[in-house]
PDB file of all heavy atoms in Angstrom:
ATOM      1  N   LEU B 258      45.556  13.165  22.599  1.00 97.00           N
ATOM      2  CA  LEU B 258      44.685  11.989  22.742  1.00 97.00           C
ATOM      3  C   LEU B 258      44.330  11.792  24.217  1.00 97.00           C
ATOM      4  O   LEU B 258      43.173  11.536  24.560  1.00 97.00           O
ATOM      5  CB  LEU B 258      45.372  10.727  22.202  1.00 97.00           C
ATOM      6  CG  LEU B 258      45.700  10.679  20.697  1.00 97.00           C
ATOM      7  CD1 LEU B 258      46.463   9.396  20.361  1.00 97.00           C
ATOM      8  CD2 LEU B 258      44.436  10.774  19.844  1.00 97.00           C
ATOM      9  N   ARG B 259      45.339  11.936  25.099  1.00 96.00           N
ATOM     10  CA  ARG B 259      45.103  11.744  26.542  1.00 96.00           C
ATOM     11  C   ARG B 259      44.150  12.819  27.061  1.00 96.00           C
ATOM     12  O   ARG B 259      43.195  12.515  27.778  1.00 96.00           O
ATOM     13  CB  ARG B 259      46.434  11.786  27.306  1.00 96.00           C
ATOM     14  CG  ARG B 259      47.336  10.595  26.980  1.00 96.00           C
ATOM     15  CD  ARG B 259      47.986   9.985  28.233  1.00 96.00           C
ATOM     16  NE  ARG B 259      48.484   8.636  27.917  1.00 96.00           N
ATOM     17  CZ  ARG B 259      49.745   8.373  27.535  1.00 96.00           C
ATOM     18  NH1 ARG B 259      50.641   9.346  27.490  1.00 96.00           N
ATOM     19  NH2 ARG B 259      50.105   7.124  27.253  1.00 96.00           N
ATOM     20  N   GLU B 260      44.435  14.075  26.687  1.00 95.00           N
ATOM     21  CA  GLU B 260      43.602  15.189  27.175  1.00 95.00           C
ATOM     22  C   GLU B 260      42.145  15.014  26.754  1.00 95.00           C
ATOM     23  O   GLU B 260      41.237  15.381  27.489  1.00 95.00           O
ATOM     24  CB  GLU B 260      44.109  16.528  26.599  1.00 95.00           C
ATOM     25  CG  GLU B 260      45.342  17.090  27.292  1.00 95.00           C
ATOM     26  CD  GLU B 260      46.042  18.165  26.443  1.00 95.00           C
ATOM     27  OE1 GLU B 260      45.410  18.694  25.489  1.00 95.00           O
ATOM     28  OE2 GLU B 260      47.217  18.433  26.726  1.00 95.00           O
ATOM     29  N   ARG B 261      41.925  14.483  25.540  1.00 97.00           N
ATOM     30  CA  ARG B 261      40.566  14.402  25.013  1.00 97.00           C
ATOM     31  C   ARG B 261      39.956  13.015  25.136  1.00 97.00           C
ATOM     32  O   ARG B 261      38.870  12.777  24.603  1.00 97.00           O
ATOM     33  CB  ARG B 261      40.565  14.909  23.556  1.00 97.00           C
ATOM     34  CG  ARG B 261      40.851  16.425  23.510  1.00 97.00           C
ATOM     35  CD  ARG B 261      41.314  16.948  22.172  1.00 97.00           C
ATOM     36  NE  ARG B 261      40.375  16.761  21.083  1.00 97.00           N
ATOM     37  CZ  ARG B 261      40.576  17.220  19.838  1.00 97.00           C
ATOM     38  NH1 ARG B 261      41.674  17.929  19.567  1.00 97.00           N
ATOM     39  NH2 ARG B 261      39.693  17.002  18.891  1.00 97.00           N
ATOM     40  N   GLY B 262      40.669  12.110  25.797  1.00 96.00           N
ATOM     41  CA  GLY B 262      40.139  10.761  26.014  1.00 96.00           C
ATOM     42  C   GLY B 262      39.875  10.006  24.720  1.00 96.00           C
ATOM     43  O   GLY B 262      38.872   9.304  24.592  1.00 96.00           O
ATOM     44  N   LEU B 263      40.779  10.151  23.741  1.00 98.00           N
ATOM     45  CA  LEU B 263      40.557   9.527  22.429  1.00 98.00           C
ATOM     46  C   LEU B 263      41.386   8.257  22.269  1.00 98.00           C
ATOM     47  O   LEU B 263      42.498   8.158  22.795  1.00 98.00           O
ATOM     48  CB  LEU B 263      40.932  10.524  21.323  1.00 98.00           C
ATOM     49  CG  LEU B 263      40.031  11.750  21.218  1.00 98.00           C
ATOM     50  CD1 LEU B 263      40.657  12.801  20.311  1.00 98.00           C
ATOM     51  CD2 LEU B 263      38.654  11.348  20.683  1.00 98.00           C
ATOM     52  N   GLN B 264      40.827   7.304  21.524  1.00 98.00           N
ATOM     53  CA  GLN B 264      41.530   6.062  21.213  1.00 98.00           C
ATOM     54  C   GLN B 264      41.744   6.002  19.699  1.00 98.00           C
ATOM     55  O   GLN B 264      40.777   5.997  18.938  1.00 98.00           O
ATOM     56  CB  GLN B 264      40.712   4.858  21.684  1.00 98.00           C
ATOM     57  CG  GLN B 264      40.527   4.833  23.199  1.00 98.00           C
ATOM     58  CD  GLN B 264      39.906   3.537  23.663  1.00 98.00           C
ATOM     59  OE1 GLN B 264      40.001   2.511  22.992  1.00 98.00           O
ATOM     60  NE2 GLN B 264      39.264   3.569  24.812  1.00 98.00           N
ATOM     61  N   PRO B 265      43.000   5.950  19.272  1.00 98.00           N
ATOM     62  CA  PRO B 265      43.266   6.053  17.831  1.00 98.00           C
ATOM     63  C   PRO B 265      43.281   4.729  17.082  1.00 98.00           C
ATOM     64  O   PRO B 265      43.708   3.706  17.603  1.00 98.00           O
ATOM     65  CB  PRO B 265      44.669   6.658  17.805  1.00 98.00           C
ATOM     66  CG  PRO B 265      45.331   6.070  19.020  1.00 98.00           C
ATOM     67  CD  PRO B 265      44.237   5.923  20.063  1.00 98.00           C
ATOM     68  N   HIS B 266      42.818   4.770  15.824  1.00 98.00           N
ATOM     69  CA  HIS B 266      43.186   3.757  14.843  1.00 98.00           C
ATOM     70  C   HIS B 266      44.413   4.329  14.132  1.00 98.00           C
ATOM     71  O   HIS B 266      44.379   5.465  13.642  1.00 98.00           O
ATOM     72  CB  HIS B 266      42.043   3.537  13.842  1.00 98.00           C
ATOM     73  CG  HIS B 266      42.443   2.701  12.668  1.00 98.00           C
ATOM     74  ND1 HIS B 266      42.311   1.338  12.646  1.00 98.00           N
ATOM     75  CD2 HIS B 266      43.002   3.044  11.480  1.00 98.00           C
ATOM     76  CE1 HIS B 266      42.761   0.873  11.489  1.00 98.00           C
ATOM     77  NE2 HIS B 266      43.180   1.883  10.761  1.00 98.00           N
ATOM     78  N   LEU B 267      45.507   3.562  14.078  1.00 98.00           N
ATOM     79  CA  LEU B 267      46.775   4.095  13.565  1.00 98.00           C
ATOM     80  C   LEU B 267      47.059   3.644  12.135  1.00 98.00           C
ATOM     81  O   LEU B 267      46.969   2.449  11.827  1.00 98.00           O
ATOM     82  CB  LEU B 267      47.926   3.632  14.452  1.00 98.00           C
ATOM     83  CG  LEU B 267      47.877   4.028  15.926  1.00 98.00           C
ATOM     84  CD1 LEU B 267      49.066   3.408  16.670  1.00 98.00           C
ATOM     85  CD2 LEU B 267      47.891   5.546  16.076  1.00 98.00           C
ATOM     86  N   LEU B 268      47.429   4.613  11.296  1.00 98.00           N
ATOM     87  CA  LEU B 268      47.997   4.289   9.987  1.00 98.00           C
ATOM     88  C   LEU B 268      49.338   5.029   9.933  1.00 98.00           C
ATOM     89  O   LEU B 268      49.429   6.175   9.479  1.00 98.00           O
ATOM     90  CB  LEU B 268      47.051   4.733   8.859  1.00 98.00           C
ATOM     91  CG  LEU B 268      47.549   4.531   7.416  1.00 98.00           C
ATOM     92  CD1 LEU B 268      48.235   3.200   7.193  1.00 98.00           C
ATOM     93  CD2 LEU B 268      46.412   4.707   6.432  1.00 98.00           C
ATOM     94  N   VAL B 269      50.353   4.388  10.512  1.00 98.00           N
ATOM     95  CA  VAL B 269      51.665   5.021  10.672  1.00 98.00           C
ATOM     96  C   VAL B 269      52.757   4.026  10.289  1.00 98.00           C
ATOM     97  O   VAL B 269      52.490   2.844  10.021  1.00 98.00           O
ATOM     98  CB  VAL B 269      51.874   5.492  12.133  1.00 98.00           C
ATOM     99  CG1 VAL B 269      50.822   6.529  12.537  1.00 98.00           C
ATOM    100  CG2 VAL B 269      51.876   4.317  13.106  1.00 98.00           C
ATOM    101  N   HIS B 270      53.984   4.507  10.277  1.00 97.00           N
ATOM    102  CA  HIS B 270      55.138   3.658   9.984  1.00 97.00           C
ATOM    103  C   HIS B 270      55.320   2.647  11.125  1.00 97.00           C
ATOM    104  O   HIS B 270      55.149   2.994  12.294  1.00 97.00           O
ATOM    105  CB  HIS B 270      56.375   4.557   9.871  1.00 97.00           C
ATOM    106  CG  HIS B 270      57.512   3.915   9.147  1.00 97.00           C
ATOM    107  ND1 HIS B 270      58.341   2.995   9.741  1.00 97.00           N
ATOM    108  CD2 HIS B 270      57.950   4.059   7.877  1.00 97.00           C
ATOM    109  CE1 HIS B 270      59.247   2.604   8.864  1.00 97.00           C
ATOM    110  NE2 HIS B 270      59.032   3.228   7.721  1.00 97.00           N
ATOM    111  N   ASP B 271      55.695   1.420  10.776  1.00 97.00           N
ATOM    112  CA  ASP B 271      55.904   0.394  11.809  1.00 97.00           C
ATOM    113  C   ASP B 271      56.863   0.882  12.902  1.00 97.00           C
ATOM    114  O   ASP B 271      56.664   0.597  14.082  1.00 97.00           O
ATOM    115  CB  ASP B 271      56.498  -0.889  11.194  1.00 97.00           C
ATOM    116  CG  ASP B 271      55.475  -1.626  10.339  1.00 97.00           C
ATOM    117  OD1 ASP B 271      54.267  -1.316  10.459  1.00 97.00           O
ATOM    118  OD2 ASP B 271      55.887  -2.498   9.549  1.00 97.00           O
ATOM    119  N   ASP B 272      57.896   1.629  12.501  1.00 96.00           N
ATOM    120  CA  ASP B 272      58.912   2.045  13.470  1.00 96.00           C
ATOM    121  C   ASP B 272      58.420   3.147  14.412  1.00 96.00           C
ATOM    122  O   ASP B 272      59.110   3.504  15.366  1.00 96.00           O
ATOM    123  CB  ASP B 272      60.190   2.513  12.749  1.00 96.00           C
ATOM    124  CG  ASP B 272      60.867   1.353  12.013  1.00 96.00           C
ATOM    125  OD1 ASP B 272      60.584   0.189  12.368  1.00 96.00           O
ATOM    126  OD2 ASP B 272      61.658   1.624  11.088  1.00 96.00           O
ATOM    127  N   LEU B 273      57.247   3.713  14.109  1.00 97.00           N
ATOM    128  CA  LEU B 273      56.694   4.732  15.021  1.00 97.00           C
ATOM    129  C   LEU B 273      55.818   4.090  16.112  1.00 97.00           C
ATOM    130  O   LEU B 273      55.536   4.707  17.143  1.00 97.00           O
ATOM    131  CB  LEU B 273      55.863   5.766  14.235  1.00 97.00           C
ATOM    132  CG  LEU B 273      55.428   7.009  15.034  1.00 97.00           C
ATOM    133  CD1 LEU B 273      56.643   7.891  15.348  1.00 97.00           C
ATOM    134  CD2 LEU B 273      54.370   7.818  14.299  1.00 97.00           C
ATOM    135  N   LEU B 274      55.417   2.855  15.880  1.00 97.00           N
ATOM    136  CA  LEU B 274      54.450   2.212  16.788  1.00 97.00           C
ATOM    137  C   LEU B 274      54.865   2.226  18.265  1.00 97.00           C
ATOM    138  O   LEU B 274      53.996   2.431  19.126  1.00 97.00           O
ATOM    139  CB  LEU B 274      54.151   0.780  16.314  1.00 97.00           C
ATOM    140  CG  LEU B 274      53.242   0.699  15.074  1.00 97.00           C
ATOM    141  CD1 LEU B 274      53.156  -0.738  14.581  1.00 97.00           C
ATOM    142  CD2 LEU B 274      51.840   1.241  15.394  1.00 97.00           C
ATOM    143  N   PRO B 275      56.158   2.033  18.587  1.00 96.00           N
ATOM    144  CA  PRO B 275      56.505   2.033  20.025  1.00 96.00           C
ATOM    145  C   PRO B 275      56.114   3.320  20.759  1.00 96.00           C
ATOM    146  O   PRO B 275      55.888   3.287  21.967  1.00 96.00           O
ATOM    147  CB  PRO B 275      58.029   1.846  20.009  1.00 96.00           C
ATOM    148  CG  PRO B 275      58.308   1.117  18.733  1.00 96.00           C
ATOM    149  CD  PRO B 275      57.314   1.672  17.737  1.00 96.00           C
ATOM    150  N   GLU B 276      56.003   4.461  20.031  1.00 96.00           N
ATOM    151  CA  GLU B 276      55.547   5.704  20.684  1.00 96.00           C
ATOM    152  C   GLU B 276      54.165   5.502  21.298  1.00 96.00           C
ATOM    153  O   GLU B 276      53.788   6.185  22.242  1.00 96.00           O
ATOM    154  CB  GLU B 276      55.454   6.854  19.675  1.00 96.00           C
ATOM    155  CG  GLU B 276      56.760   7.363  19.101  1.00 96.00           C
ATOM    156  CD  GLU B 276      57.398   8.492  19.925  1.00 96.00           C
ATOM    157  OE1 GLU B 276      57.034   8.660  21.108  1.00 96.00           O
ATOM    158  OE2 GLU B 276      58.273   9.173  19.360  1.00 96.00           O
TER     159      GLU B 276
END
Side-chain angles (χ1 to χ4, degrees):
Chain B
L258 296 176
R259 293 224 163 94
E260 282 163 17
R261 292 161 61 176
L263 293 168
Q264 297 189 24
H266 169 91
L267 301 177
L268 177 42
V269 299
H270 199 281
D271 289 345
D272 294 340
L273 190 70
L274 285 173
E276 292 271 18

